[in-house]
Amino acid sequence: MDRSTPRNDLILMVVFTAAVLTMPFWLAPIGAGYPDLLQKFAIFGIFAVGFNILFGLTGYLSFGHAAFLGVGSYTAVWSFKLLSMNILPAMILAIAIAGLFSLAIGYVSLRRTGIYFSILTLAFAQMSYNLAYSVLTPITNGETGLRVVRGDPHVIDRMFGMVEGESLPTPDLFGLRTIGWEGFYICAVALIVAFFIALRIFRSPFGLALRGIKSNQVRMSYTGFNTRPHTLAAFVISGMYAGLAGALLAITDPLAGAERMQWTASGEVVLMTILGGVGTLIGPILGAAIIKYFENIFSSFNEYTLEQTFSFLPDPLREGVVSVASLFVGEGWHLTLGLLFMLVVIFLPGGIMEGFRRLWRAITGRSAARRAEKLQPAE
Amino acid sequence: MENIVLHVDDVYKSFGGLHALSDIDLQIAEGKTHAIIGPNGAGKSTLLNVCIGRLKPDSGAVVFDGQILTGKKPYEINQLGVARVFQTPEIFPDLTVRENVIIPALAKRDGAFAVDAWRGMARENDLRDEAEAAVTDVGLEDKLGHEAGSLSRGDKRRLELAMCLVQKPRLLLLDEPTAGMSRLDTNRTIDLLKRIKARGMTKVIIEHDMHVVFSLADKVTVMAQGRIIAEGTPDEVRGDPVVQEAYLGGGHA
């Protein structure tokens, strides 16, 4: 139970860092070893880690976190336009503005719990989405999406003597490009930092208080905790994570659109967290990676690739297999994901991380010992 | 003169047409163990709920150590030094026994709201020692690492008691602390409560079990149908004909 010693956490952090930085190598065999996809793993990993600080620790299920992702993206693009193409101010501003935004939404939504809280957050996110398309067009540029165009002020860049050249300026980190492998490593470092902060929060007194709120809110208040500000702080922290993820999306592709705020995007992060394991540290990142992998790899399979894969089968059998399998790939990747999600929720309610834990116990033979402990007569 | 810690001043509370509490006036002296007894539905639990801010009285006030509790939030009342053991144990079922007790200790040390998100719990040796001492006090020391939800009912009650004791409250309210416990466990709890008394903690106990009441109480208040019908030392109350009638079901009929 209490395996979270500082030493184990250090090992976890080292292994995690190494695993993230070497992703291009060990993910290459399954066709995921290219920067655009790995970038998405990292960005949505950050989004899910932040979401899990709220959902995993306090149990409050927000259905509107994509709003903060969108706010982060818009803020980052505005920072490019007005201030500088450097991504550092863009990230800091995105985190700050998303934090303010989540403070306002959280303040109102956290007056309710359970399903009412979820509905309130969903309503706020959909409101933001629709506003971005209509009234707020001067800020969001509506359907076209917000992007860097010629003649943008770039105040800070100009102070340092930037001259607008032939091509549009691109985001950079003090000269380091944000596309390709450089882009991936920027996102990877952000993910590692985000993960480290989440780890500290999980292990802190604040994290323990949040878990207390999830377990029994009534007891928390009779124990002397004012639970509302605790949940609000968790909500804001997770909103800031979403803001950072949104900024990174804009950094790797300097275009912000309102569809990032849609409820499907909010639902996606819920799926990621549940698929990987609610309340676990690594789970949400796994979930994010799996969903992005399916979205990008499975959806790219077509009948031709299937024919190739099953070419060892005799003709009539192959056609049958291919026509069945083609339901699950290409456009049908949602079906595969849906099935996977159902299987996980039914058989592994703790997500993929629970699967790993069970596997680990089976290997180390602890399961027998634990079961004996549980079977002891309770007086 | 005795120092009055808790003063329930002329409290009324009704639910619809039912007078759950009428004209309740109660003074609890510091360091004493005060038992409230009475048949089911006498309003004992309602009275405790009014004291900890779970219910608001229709009129009257509850004063703790010079501060009016009426209208205060449960967490504020706890921070003033009032802890409560519930009739059905309110614990953190998903957390370990140790964590269950560390949380109240944390609330006592850091106050109602503190975002201490950076320091690791692993370095909070003082909190852990305090928690383990409280758990040992109630005799659960060999279950520190267990998930609280997996404990037996009796153990859950003891755990909840440890969660209150770790805060060293000035006033401890106990709602039937031994209900659902075996005789052996009941006697252990009585011993434990006697030990706490030696530390000068004031206690209000609601109890059905007369064995518990007469082994612990300095003073007994008897309630029936939302009113106080008798008050005195255990011996005085035992001999009171009004009390006997209430317990035999005479009532107002």
Side-chain angles (χ1 to χ4, degrees), chain B residues 224-246:
Chain B
Q225 281 144 19
R227 291 175 181 280
I228 293 175
I229 57 168
E231 197 168 72
T233 64
D235 288 330
E236 284 166 12
V237 166
R238 208 188 326 229
D240 192 326
V242 182
V243 177
Q244 284 171 354
E245 199 191 323

mmCIF file with all atom_site columns, all heavy atoms in Angstrom, chain B residues 224-246:
data_model
loop_
_atom_site.group_PDB
_atom_site.id
_atom_site.type_symbol
_atom_site.label_atom_id
_atom_site.label_alt_id
_atom_site.label_comp_id
_atom_site.label_asym_id
_atom_site.label_entity_id
_atom_site.label_seq_id
_atom_site.pdbx_PDB_ins_code
_atom_site.Cartn_x
_atom_site.Cartn_y
_atom_site.Cartn_z
_atom_site.occupancy
_atom_site.B_iso_or_equiv
_atom_site.pdbx_formal_charge
_atom_site.auth_seq_id
_atom_site.auth_comp_id
_atom_site.auth_asym_id
_atom_site.auth_atom_id
_atom_site.pdbx_PDB_model_num
ATOM 1   N N   . ALA B 1 224 ? -36.676 13.161 26.536 1.00 0.00 ? 224 ALA B N   1
ATOM 2   C CA  . ALA B 1 224 ? -37.793 12.409 25.968 1.00 0.00 ? 224 ALA B CA  1
ATOM 3   C C   . ALA B 1 224 ? -38.645 13.375 25.167 1.00 0.00 ? 224 ALA B C   1
ATOM 4   O O   . ALA B 1 224 ? -38.909 14.494 25.620 1.00 0.00 ? 224 ALA B O   1
ATOM 5   C CB  . ALA B 1 224 ? -38.616 11.749 27.071 1.00 0.00 ? 224 ALA B CB  1
ATOM 6   N N   . GLN B 1 225 ? -39.033 12.964 23.996 1.00 0.00 ? 225 GLN B N   1
ATOM 7   C CA  . GLN B 1 225 ? -39.863 13.775 23.101 1.00 0.00 ? 225 GLN B CA  1
ATOM 8   C C   . GLN B 1 225 ? -39.366 15.209 22.959 1.00 0.00 ? 225 GLN B C   1
ATOM 9   O O   . GLN B 1 225 ? -40.124 16.160 23.039 1.00 0.00 ? 225 GLN B O   1
ATOM 10  C CB  . GLN B 1 225 ? -41.312 13.765 23.583 1.00 0.00 ? 225 GLN B CB  1
ATOM 11  C CG  . GLN B 1 225 ? -42.003 12.488 23.170 1.00 0.00 ? 225 GLN B CG  1
ATOM 12  C CD  . GLN B 1 225 ? -42.966 12.003 24.219 1.00 0.00 ? 225 GLN B CD  1
ATOM 13  O OE1 . GLN B 1 225 ? -43.382 12.764 25.089 1.00 0.00 ? 225 GLN B OE1 1
ATOM 14  N NE2 . GLN B 1 225 ? -43.318 10.737 24.144 1.00 0.00 ? 225 GLN B NE2 1
ATOM 15  N N   . GLY B 1 226 ? -38.054 15.342 22.762 1.00 0.00 ? 226 GLY B N   1
ATOM 16  C CA  . GLY B 1 226 ? -37.502 16.653 22.466 1.00 0.00 ? 226 GLY B CA  1
ATOM 17  C C   . GLY B 1 226 ? -37.319 17.556 23.663 1.00 0.00 ? 226 GLY B C   1
ATOM 18  O O   . GLY B 1 226 ? -36.978 18.722 23.500 1.00 0.00 ? 226 GLY B O   1
ATOM 19  N N   . ARG B 1 227 ? -37.584 17.026 24.874 1.00 0.00 ? 227 ARG B N   1
ATOM 20  C CA  . ARG B 1 227 ? -37.414 17.870 26.061 1.00 0.00 ? 227 ARG B CA  1
ATOM 21  C C   . ARG B 1 227 ? -36.458 17.218 27.041 1.00 0.00 ? 227 ARG B C   1
ATOM 22  O O   . ARG B 1 227 ? -36.274 16.004 27.030 1.00 0.00 ? 227 ARG B O   1
ATOM 23  C CB  . ARG B 1 227 ? -38.766 18.055 26.772 1.00 0.00 ? 227 ARG B CB  1
ATOM 24  C CG  . ARG B 1 227 ? -39.724 18.885 26.001 1.00 0.00 ? 227 ARG B CG  1
ATOM 25  C CD  . ARG B 1 227 ? -41.079 18.930 26.703 1.00 0.00 ? 227 ARG B CD  1
ATOM 26  N NE  . ARG B 1 227 ? -41.984 19.728 25.902 1.00 0.00 ? 227 ARG B NE  1
ATOM 27  C CZ  . ARG B 1 227 ? -41.972 21.067 25.915 1.00 0.00 ? 227 ARG B CZ  1
ATOM 28  N NH1 . ARG B 1 227 ? -41.160 21.714 26.717 1.00 0.00 ? 227 ARG B NH1 1
ATOM 29  N NH2 . ARG B 1 227 ? -42.786 21.743 25.141 1.00 0.00 ? 227 ARG B NH2 1
ATOM 30  N N   . ILE B 1 228 ? -35.901 18.052 27.894 1.00 0.00 ? 228 ILE B N   1
ATOM 31  C CA  . ILE B 1 228 ? -35.109 17.507 28.987 1.00 0.00 ? 228 ILE B CA  1
ATOM 32  C C   . ILE B 1 228 ? -36.063 17.217 30.135 1.00 0.00 ? 228 ILE B C   1
ATOM 33  O O   . ILE B 1 228 ? -36.805 18.099 30.571 1.00 0.00 ? 228 ILE B O   1
ATOM 34  C CB  . ILE B 1 228 ? -34.034 18.520 29.431 1.00 0.00 ? 228 ILE B CB  1
ATOM 35  C CG1 . ILE B 1 228 ? -33.008 18.685 28.308 1.00 0.00 ? 228 ILE B CG1 1
ATOM 36  C CG2 . ILE B 1 228 ? -33.358 18.058 30.712 1.00 0.00 ? 228 ILE B CG2 1
ATOM 37  C CD1 . ILE B 1 228 ? -31.977 19.747 28.574 1.00 0.00 ? 228 ILE B CD1 1
ATOM 38  N N   . ILE B 1 229 ? -36.070 15.959 30.582 1.00 0.00 ? 229 ILE B N   1
ATOM 39  C CA  . ILE B 1 229 ? -37.010 15.641 31.656 1.00 0.00 ? 229 ILE B CA  1
ATOM 40  C C   . ILE B 1 229 ? -36.316 15.438 32.996 1.00 0.00 ? 229 ILE B C   1
ATOM 41  O O   . ILE B 1 229 ? -36.967 15.458 34.035 1.00 0.00 ? 229 ILE B O   1
ATOM 42  C CB  . ILE B 1 229 ? -37.874 14.395 31.317 1.00 0.00 ? 229 ILE B CB  1
ATOM 43  C CG1 . ILE B 1 229 ? -36.983 13.183 31.018 1.00 0.00 ? 229 ILE B CG1 1
ATOM 44  C CG2 . ILE B 1 229 ? -38.802 14.675 30.149 1.00 0.00 ? 229 ILE B CG2 1
ATOM 45  C CD1 . ILE B 1 229 ? -37.761 11.892 30.975 1.00 0.00 ? 229 ILE B CD1 1
ATOM 46  N N   . ALA B 1 230 ? -35.011 15.232 32.960 1.00 0.00 ? 230 ALA B N   1
ATOM 47  C CA  . ALA B 1 230 ? -34.320 15.086 34.239 1.00 0.00 ? 230 ALA B CA  1
ATOM 48  C C   . ALA B 1 230 ? -32.843 15.339 34.044 1.00 0.00 ? 230 ALA B C   1
ATOM 49  O O   . ALA B 1 230 ? -32.324 15.207 32.929 1.00 0.00 ? 230 ALA B O   1
ATOM 50  C CB  . ALA B 1 230 ? -34.531 13.682 34.800 1.00 0.00 ? 230 ALA B CB  1
ATOM 51  N N   . GLU B 1 231 ? -32.177 15.703 35.112 1.00 0.00 ? 231 GLU B N   1
ATOM 52  C CA  . GLU B 1 231 ? -30.748 15.939 35.027 1.00 0.00 ? 231 GLU B CA  1
ATOM 53  C C   . GLU B 1 231 ? -30.137 15.718 36.404 1.00 0.00 ? 231 GLU B C   1
ATOM 54  O O   . GLU B 1 231 ? -30.758 16.043 37.410 1.00 0.00 ? 231 GLU B O   1
ATOM 55  C CB  . GLU B 1 231 ? -30.481 17.375 34.573 1.00 0.00 ? 231 GLU B CB  1
ATOM 56  C CG  . GLU B 1 231 ? -29.079 17.596 34.065 1.00 0.00 ? 231 GLU B CG  1
ATOM 57  C CD  . GLU B 1 231 ? -28.943 18.933 33.364 1.00 0.00 ? 231 GLU B CD  1
ATOM 58  O OE1 . GLU B 1 231 ? -28.959 19.966 34.050 1.00 0.00 ? 231 GLU B OE1 1
ATOM 59  O OE2 . GLU B 1 231 ? -28.834 18.947 32.126 1.00 0.00 ? 231 GLU B OE2 1
ATOM 60  N N   . GLY B 1 232 ? -28.958 15.144 36.447 1.00 0.00 ? 232 GLY B N   1
ATOM 61  C CA  . GLY B 1 232 ? -28.319 14.943 37.744 1.00 0.00 ? 232 GLY B CA  1
ATOM 62  C C   . GLY B 1 232 ? -27.171 13.972 37.650 1.00 0.00 ? 232 GLY B C   1
ATOM 63  O O   . GLY B 1 232 ? -26.752 13.596 36.545 1.00 0.00 ? 232 GLY B O   1
ATOM 64  N N   . THR B 1 233 ? -26.669 13.539 38.788 1.00 0.00 ? 233 THR B N   1
ATOM 65  C CA  . THR B 1 233 ? -25.622 12.533 38.787 1.00 0.00 ? 233 THR B CA  1
ATOM 66  C C   . THR B 1 233 ? -26.245 11.205 38.376 1.00 0.00 ? 233 THR B C   1
ATOM 67  O O   . THR B 1 233 ? -27.476 11.046 38.457 1.00 0.00 ? 233 THR B O   1
ATOM 68  C CB  . THR B 1 233 ? -25.000 12.385 40.177 1.00 0.00 ? 233 THR B CB  1
ATOM 69  O OG1 . THR B 1 233 ? -26.019 11.896 41.051 1.00 0.00 ? 233 THR B OG1 1
ATOM 70  C CG2 . THR B 1 233 ? -24.468 13.700 40.688 1.00 0.00 ? 233 THR B CG2 1
ATOM 71  N N   . PRO B 1 234 ? -25.431 10.251 37.938 1.00 0.00 ? 234 PRO B N   1
ATOM 72  C CA  . PRO B 1 234 ? -26.002 8.965  37.524 1.00 0.00 ? 234 PRO B CA  1
ATOM 73  C C   . PRO B 1 234 ? -26.925 8.365  38.586 1.00 0.00 ? 234 PRO B C   1
ATOM 74  O O   . PRO B 1 234 ? -28.001 7.860  38.254 1.00 0.00 ? 234 PRO B O   1
ATOM 75  C CB  . PRO B 1 234 ? -24.764 8.093  37.312 1.00 0.00 ? 234 PRO B CB  1
ATOM 76  C CG  . PRO B 1 234 ? -23.682 9.046  36.961 1.00 0.00 ? 234 PRO B CG  1
ATOM 77  C CD  . PRO B 1 234 ? -23.979 10.302 37.695 1.00 0.00 ? 234 PRO B CD  1
ATOM 78  N N   . ASP B 1 235 ? -26.545 8.443  39.850 1.00 0.00 ? 235 ASP B N   1
ATOM 79  C CA  . ASP B 1 235 ? -27.365 7.842  40.896 1.00 0.00 ? 235 ASP B CA  1
ATOM 80  C C   . ASP B 1 235 ? -28.699 8.554  41.076 1.00 0.00 ? 235 ASP B C   1
ATOM 81  O O   . ASP B 1 235 ? -29.736 7.916  41.247 1.00 0.00 ? 235 ASP B O   1
ATOM 82  C CB  . ASP B 1 235 ? -26.589 7.814  42.221 1.00 0.00 ? 235 ASP B CB  1
ATOM 83  C CG  . ASP B 1 235 ? -25.474 6.784  42.174 1.00 0.00 ? 235 ASP B CG  1
ATOM 84  O OD1 . ASP B 1 235 ? -25.658 5.781  41.442 1.00 0.00 ? 235 ASP B OD1 1
ATOM 85  O OD2 . ASP B 1 235 ? -24.429 6.990  42.828 1.00 0.00 ? 235 ASP B OD2 1
ATOM 86  N N   . GLU B 1 236 ? -28.647 9.885  40.994 1.00 0.00 ? 236 GLU B N   1
ATOM 87  C CA  . GLU B 1 236 ? -29.894 10.654 41.110 1.00 0.00 ? 236 GLU B CA  1
ATOM 88  C C   . GLU B 1 236 ? -30.863 10.276 39.994 1.00 0.00 ? 236 GLU B C   1
ATOM 89  O O   . GLU B 1 236 ? -32.053 10.059 40.226 1.00 0.00 ? 236 GLU B O   1
ATOM 90  C CB  . GLU B 1 236 ? -29.605 12.158 41.016 1.00 0.00 ? 236 GLU B CB  1
ATOM 91  C CG  . GLU B 1 236 ? -29.002 12.762 42.277 1.00 0.00 ? 236 GLU B CG  1
ATOM 92  C CD  . GLU B 1 236 ? -28.422 14.154 42.024 1.00 0.00 ? 236 GLU B CD  1
ATOM 93  O OE1 . GLU B 1 236 ? -28.687 14.733 40.938 1.00 0.00 ? 236 GLU B OE1 1
ATOM 94  O OE2 . GLU B 1 236 ? -27.694 14.631 42.888 1.00 0.00 ? 236 GLU B OE2 1
ATOM 95  N N   . VAL B 1 237 ? -30.298 10.205 38.789 1.00 0.00 ? 237 VAL B N   1
ATOM 96  C CA  . VAL B 1 237 ? -31.154 9.944  37.631 1.00 0.00 ? 237 VAL B CA  1
ATOM 97  C C   . VAL B 1 237 ? -31.739 8.531  37.685 1.00 0.00 ? 237 VAL B C   1
ATOM 98  O O   . VAL B 1 237 ? -32.905 8.306  37.364 1.00 0.00 ? 237 VAL B O   1
ATOM 99  C CB  . VAL B 1 237 ? -30.352 10.154 36.327 1.00 0.00 ? 237 VAL B CB  1
ATOM 100 C CG1 . VAL B 1 237 ? -31.078 9.568  35.143 1.00 0.00 ? 237 VAL B CG1 1
ATOM 101 C CG2 . VAL B 1 237 ? -30.094 11.631 36.120 1.00 0.00 ? 237 VAL B CG2 1
ATOM 102 N N   . ARG B 1 238 ? -30.926 7.600  38.136 1.00 0.00 ? 238 ARG B N   1
ATOM 103 C CA  . ARG B 1 238 ? -31.372 6.217  38.190 1.00 0.00 ? 238 ARG B CA  1
ATOM 104 C C   . ARG B 1 238 ? -32.611 6.066  39.077 1.00 0.00 ? 238 ARG B C   1
ATOM 105 O O   . ARG B 1 238 ? -33.505 5.286  38.798 1.00 0.00 ? 238 ARG B O   1
ATOM 106 C CB  . ARG B 1 238 ? -30.247 5.336  38.734 1.00 0.00 ? 238 ARG B CB  1
ATOM 107 C CG  . ARG B 1 238 ? -30.344 3.931  38.213 1.00 0.00 ? 238 ARG B CG  1
ATOM 108 C CD  . ARG B 1 238 ? -29.383 2.971  38.857 1.00 0.00 ? 238 ARG B CD  1
ATOM 109 N NE  . ARG B 1 238 ? -28.081 3.525  39.230 1.00 0.00 ? 238 ARG B NE  1
ATOM 110 C CZ  . ARG B 1 238 ? -26.918 2.925  38.917 1.00 0.00 ? 238 ARG B CZ  1
ATOM 111 N NH1 . ARG B 1 238 ? -26.914 1.806  38.234 1.00 0.00 ? 238 ARG B NH1 1
ATOM 112 N NH2 . ARG B 1 238 ? -25.793 3.443  39.327 1.00 0.00 ? 238 ARG B NH2 1
ATOM 113 N N   . GLY B 1 239 ? -32.653 6.866  40.142 1.00 0.00 ? 239 GLY B N   1
ATOM 114 C CA  . GLY B 1 239 ? -33.760 6.719  41.083 1.00 0.00 ? 239 GLY B CA  1
ATOM 115 C C   . GLY B 1 239 ? -34.962 7.578  40.749 1.00 0.00 ? 239 GLY B C   1
ATOM 116 O O   . GLY B 1 239 ? -35.984 7.518  41.440 1.00 0.00 ? 239 GLY B O   1
ATOM 117 N N   . ASP B 1 240 ? -34.862 8.373  39.693 1.00 0.00 ? 240 ASP B N   1
ATOM 118 C CA  . ASP B 1 240 ? -35.926 9.328  39.382 1.00 0.00 ? 240 ASP B CA  1
ATOM 119 C C   . ASP B 1 240 ? -37.148 8.636  38.766 1.00 0.00 ? 240 ASP B C   1
ATOM 120 O O   . ASP B 1 240 ? -37.029 7.983  37.728 1.00 0.00 ? 240 ASP B O   1
ATOM 121 C CB  . ASP B 1 240 ? -35.353 10.363 38.401 1.00 0.00 ? 240 ASP B CB  1
ATOM 122 C CG  . ASP B 1 240 ? -36.271 11.565 38.248 1.00 0.00 ? 240 ASP B CG  1
ATOM 123 O OD1 . ASP B 1 240 ? -37.497 11.371 38.315 1.00 0.00 ? 240 ASP B OD1 1
ATOM 124 O OD2 . ASP B 1 240 ? -35.752 12.674 38.053 1.00 0.00 ? 240 ASP B OD2 1
ATOM 125 N N   . PRO B 1 241 ? -38.316 8.757  39.386 1.00 0.00 ? 241 PRO B N   1
ATOM 126 C CA  . PRO B 1 241 ? -39.511 8.081  38.848 1.00 0.00 ? 241 PRO B CA  1
ATOM 127 C C   . PRO B 1 241 ? -39.900 8.576  37.450 1.00 0.00 ? 241 PRO B C   1
ATOM 128 O O   . PRO B 1 241 ? -40.384 7.790  36.630 1.00 0.00 ? 241 PRO B O   1
ATOM 129 C CB  . PRO B 1 241 ? -40.606 8.413  39.863 1.00 0.00 ? 241 PRO B CB  1
ATOM 130 C CG  . PRO B 1 241 ? -40.078 9.538  40.693 1.00 0.00 ? 241 PRO B CG  1
ATOM 131 C CD  . PRO B 1 241 ? -38.603 9.475  40.641 1.00 0.00 ? 241 PRO B CD  1
ATOM 132 N N   . VAL B 1 242 ? -39.674 9.865  37.164 1.00 0.00 ? 242 VAL B N   1
ATOM 133 C CA  . VAL B 1 242 ? -40.019 10.407 35.836 1.00 0.00 ? 242 VAL B CA  1
ATOM 134 C C   . VAL B 1 242 ? -39.224 9.682  34.754 1.00 0.00 ? 242 VAL B C   1
ATOM 135 O O   . VAL B 1 242 ? -39.750 9.319  33.685 1.00 0.00 ? 242 VAL B O   1
ATOM 136 C CB  . VAL B 1 242 ? -39.705 11.925 35.778 1.00 0.00 ? 242 VAL B CB  1
ATOM 137 C CG1 . VAL B 1 242 ? -40.109 12.498 34.431 1.00 0.00 ? 242 VAL B CG1 1
ATOM 138 C CG2 . VAL B 1 242 ? -40.386 12.658 36.909 1.00 0.00 ? 242 VAL B CG2 1
ATOM 139 N N   . VAL B 1 243 ? -37.952 9.438  35.055 1.00 0.00 ? 243 VAL B N   1
ATOM 140 C CA  . VAL B 1 243 ? -37.084 8.770  34.086 1.00 0.00 ? 243 VAL B CA  1
ATOM 141 C C   . VAL B 1 243 ? -37.558 7.339  33.874 1.00 0.00 ? 243 VAL B C   1
ATOM 142 O O   . VAL B 1 243 ? -37.665 6.862  32.736 1.00 0.00 ? 243 VAL B O   1
ATOM 143 C CB  . VAL B 1 243 ? -35.625 8.780  34.598 1.00 0.00 ? 243 VAL B CB  1
ATOM 144 C CG1 . VAL B 1 243 ? -34.722 8.018  33.636 1.00 0.00 ? 243 VAL B CG1 1
ATOM 145 C CG2 . VAL B 1 243 ? -35.146 10.207 34.792 1.00 0.00 ? 243 VAL B CG2 1
ATOM 146 N N   . GLN B 1 244 ? -37.877 6.677  34.947 1.00 0.00 ? 244 GLN B N   1
ATOM 147 C CA  . GLN B 1 244 ? -38.326 5.291  34.827 1.00 0.00 ? 244 GLN B CA  1
ATOM 148 C C   . GLN B 1 244 ? -39.587 5.210  33.985 1.00 0.00 ? 244 GLN B C   1
ATOM 149 O O   . GLN B 1 244 ? -39.725 4.340  33.135 1.00 0.00 ? 244 GLN B O   1
ATOM 150 C CB  . GLN B 1 244 ? -38.559 4.703  36.215 1.00 0.00 ? 244 GLN B CB  1
ATOM 151 C CG  . GLN B 1 244 ? -37.238 4.371  36.888 1.00 0.00 ? 244 GLN B CG  1
ATOM 152 C CD  . GLN B 1 244 ? -37.406 3.998  38.341 1.00 0.00 ? 244 GLN B CD  1
ATOM 153 O OE1 . GLN B 1 244 ? -38.504 4.088  38.893 1.00 0.00 ? 244 GLN B OE1 1
ATOM 154 N NE2 . GLN B 1 244 ? -36.312 3.579  38.949 1.00 0.00 ? 244 GLN B NE2 1
ATOM 155 N N   . GLU B 1 245 ? -40.452 6.163  34.164 1.00 0.00 ? 245 GLU B N   1
ATOM 156 C CA  . GLU B 1 245 ? -41.699 6.170  33.401 1.00 0.00 ? 245 GLU B CA  1
ATOM 157 C C   . GLU B 1 245 ? -41.411 6.363  31.908 1.00 0.00 ? 245 GLU B C   1
ATOM 158 O O   . GLU B 1 245 ? -41.949 5.650  31.069 1.00 0.00 ? 245 GLU B O   1
ATOM 159 C CB  . GLU B 1 245 ? -42.609 7.279  33.911 1.00 0.00 ? 245 GLU B CB  1
ATOM 160 C CG  . GLU B 1 245 ? -44.061 7.069  33.510 1.00 0.00 ? 245 GLU B CG  1
ATOM 161 C CD  . GLU B 1 245 ? -44.895 8.308  33.799 1.00 0.00 ? 245 GLU B CD  1
ATOM 162 O OE1 . GLU B 1 245 ? -44.635 8.960  34.824 1.00 0.00 ? 245 GLU B OE1 1
ATOM 163 O OE2 . GLU B 1 245 ? -45.775 8.608  32.982 1.00 0.00 ? 245 GLU B OE2 1
ATOM 164 N N   . ALA B 1 246 ? -40.503 7.292  31.612 1.00 0.00 ? 246 ALA B N   1
ATOM 165 C CA  . ALA B 1 246 ? -40.175 7.555  30.211 1.00 0.00 ? 246 ALA B CA  1
ATOM 166 C C   . ALA B 1 246 ? -39.584 6.311  29.566 1.00 0.00 ? 246 ALA B C   1
ATOM 167 O O   . ALA B 1 246 ? -39.914 5.957  28.432 1.00 0.00 ? 246 ALA B O   1
ATOM 168 C CB  . ALA B 1 246 ? -39.180 8.713  30.117 1.00 0.00 ? 246 ALA B CB  1
#
